[in-house]
Amino acid sequence: MQFVTLFIPPAIAALLSGTIYFKTSDLLGKLRENLENIKLDVLYYNEISKLSMNYNVLYLLAHEVEKEFSLTTFLLLCSHLFNLNTVLLSYILYAGELLSYSLACLMITELIFAVILNVGVIMSASRISYQVFRVQTTLQIMYNKVGTAEPKTLQIVKNMLDMKFPEMTAYGIVELKPALIVSSFGSVLTYGLLVINVNRP
């Protein structure tokens, strides 16, 4: 029962958030593929107009994803960092003593869950920024190298270039990028080594 209470709700929240982030990045990836398949020698208005509509939808979707899942992700990260510190402090408190089987299993499970869920959510969210960068790069190349196109067609491409997608964040406090994984676990490790050295006789 304790396992269900501690781990299942955060795991479900992390799975849902990670899935939404991942699916959003996949949609951006498909848009990029469609943009890359356009022939640059002749850029047709109807063709680029349809892609522009998809681009606008994904732009709004990215804002909604950031708005709806930012707080959830922040609470998840706080929860997982708390679990990591709990495992660390438990190890320090019981250092030199024989841990019970149930306590050892609980500590190991907390550690594994914190690492897997943290990494999964952050990497899924960071894919959105990566795909946005690739889409923007494709649009810039298209705008620079396009051959024959009507002014209104080029204006659509320029409008898409000017639209700035939001960064995926944890409640606007930190950006969800791979570097966050290193810094999070690095801070826990540093704190742990500090406490161990202080408590060393």
Side-chain angles (χ1 to χ4, degrees), residues 44-68:
Y44 293 104
Y45 176 80
N46 290 337
E47 188 176 20
I48 198 64
S49 180
K50 291 179 181 178
L51 291 176
S52 175
M53 292 175 62
N54 293 337
Y55 189 86
N56 290 335
V57 170
L58 291 177
Y59 176 80
L60 295 175
L61 175 62
H63 277 279
E64 285 299 315
V65 169
E66 164 63 10
K67 176 183 175 182
E68 298 298 330

Side-chain angles (χ1 to χ4, degrees):
M1 186 64 184
Q2 186 179 13
F3 177 85
V4 173
T5 304
L6 288 176
F7 302 117
I8 298 302
I12 293 175
L15 183 61
L16 177 61
S17 300
T19 301
I20 295 298
Y21 287 138
F22 193 88
K23 290 296 183 181
T24 303
S25 68
D26 267 359
L27 292 174
L28 286 164
K30 291 177 181 178
L31 174 64
R32 176 187 54 80
E33 291 175 0
N34 291 334
L35 288 170
E36 289 177 346
N37 290 333
I38 294 179
K39 295 181 179 179
L40 297 182
D41 51 349
V42 179
L43 195 61
Y44 293 104
Y45 176 80
N46 290 337
E47 188 176 20
I48 198 64
S49 180
K50 291 179 181 178
L51 291 176
S52 175
M53 292 175 62
N54 293 337
Y55 189 86
N56 290 335
V57 170
L58 291 177
Y59 176 80
L60 295 175
L61 175 62
H63 277 279
E64 285 299 315
V65 169
E66 164 63 10
K67 176 183 175 182
E68 298 298 330
F69 289 91
S70 177
L71 178 58
T72 301
T73 303
F74 174 72
L75 294 176
L76 279 172
L77 293 179
C78 290
S79 172
H80 298 155
L81 287 176
F82 175 78
N83 287 339
L84 283 174
N85 282 285
T86 300
V87 171
L88 177 63
L89 291 175
S90 298
Y91 172 78
I92 294 170
L93 289 174
Y94 290 96
E97 300 180 16
L98 183 62
L99 293 176
S100 65
Y101 177 77
S102 59
L103 181 59
C105 287
L106 184 63
M107 290 170 59
I108 293 172
T109 305
E110 284 182 351
L111 183 62
I112 293 174
F113 262 64
V115 172
I116 292 177
L117 296 181
N118 259 336
V119 171
V121 171
I122 293 173
M123 292 304 295
S124 296
S126 67
R127 288 183 83 245
I128 295 179
S129 298
Y130 175 68
Q131 291 294 352
V132 167
F133 171 77
R134 297 186 69 183
V135 168
Q136 290 282 320
T137 301
T138 302
L139 286 171
Q140 188 63 60
I141 293 173
M142 178 185 295
Y143 187 78
N144 293 340
K145 292 186 176 181
V146 69
T148 304
E150 299 177 0
K152 62 179 181 179
T153 304
L154 288 176
Q155 186 60 45
I156 291 178
V157 177
K158 188 176 186 306
N159 289 341
M160 286 192 286
L161 277 171
D162 291 339
M163 295 172 67
K164 302 301 180 185
F165 277 70
E167 291 286 348
M168 296 297 110
T169 67
Y171 205 51
I173 298 175
V174 291
E175 293 183 1
L176 300 176
K177 294 183 176 181
L180 178 60
I181 299 173
V182 178
S183 62
S184 298
F185 293 114
S187 62
V188 172
L189 179 61
T190 302
Y191 172 70
L193 292 174
L194 177 63
V195 173
I196 290 174
N197 288 331
V198 169
N199 289 341
R200 181 178 295 174

